Amino acid sequence: MYVRIARFEGGDMDEIEAEGALLKDGIAALKRGETTREIPPRLAEVTSRVEMLFDRHNGNVAVCVYCESRDEVLEADRILQSMTPTNKGWGARVSADIYEVALDEATHVHRAA
């Protein structure tokens, strides 16, 4: 599995949250088989999961897009590079990096009674 992490700094949290709500609605629409302007259909095809992380104190956000293969994450990167957030409140994009996921394990341990 691979992940593309794009980081934005100096944004307005109200606008970032509004954008997050649009993305969430777009993903829900895609799951119902509907088209959406927020998420291109091909992007939905090559991604398996999306996370949005907030640093409310500093107005920063990270968007993590997960893909099963390197080819898919590179395609997702090309698609995302051509997209622009629908509002200017995101602040400045400071990075967009691709990582291979080396560890993805839950740490919750069930204890015997």
Side-chain angles (χ1 to χ4, degrees):
M1 178 167 292
Y2 291 81
V3 61
R4 177 194 188 264
I5 303 173
R7 291 185 46 251
F8 298 81
E9 293 182 350
D12 176 273
M13 287 310 302
D14 289 337
E15 293 190 38
I16 292 169
E17 286 177 346
E19 187 79 12
L22 286 175
L23 290 173
K24 186 175 181 177
D25 290 346
I27 291 168
L30 289 170
K31 288 179 178 179
R32 293 188 304 268
E34 301 169 6
T35 58
T36 174
R37 67 180 182 87
E38 289 82 19
I39 303 172
R42 184 63 187 148
L43 181 61
E45 292 171 7
V46 299
T47 61
S48 59
R49 186 167 120 212
V50 176
E51 291 179 323
M52 206 172 172
L53 312 173
F54 294 158
D55 172 356
R56 293 179 190 281
H57 180 70
N58 295 307
N60 300 337
V61 63
V63 178
C64 306
V65 176
Y66 293 83
C67 301
E68 296 298 323
S69 72
R70 180 153 178 78
D71 288 341
E72 287 175 337
V73 79
L74 292 174
E75 185 169 355
D77 182 56
R78 283 191 295 276
I79 294 166
L80 290 163
Q81 290 285 357
S82 70
M83 293 175 67
T84 304
T86 58
N87 66 55
K88 301 298 181 198
W90 281 76
R93 188 178 78 193
V94 296
S95 67
D97 300 307
I98 294 172
Y99 297 89
E100 183 175 3
V101 177
L103 178 65
D104 184 8
E105 295 291 332
T107 59
H108 183 78
V109 177
H110 294 282
R111 301 194 191 277

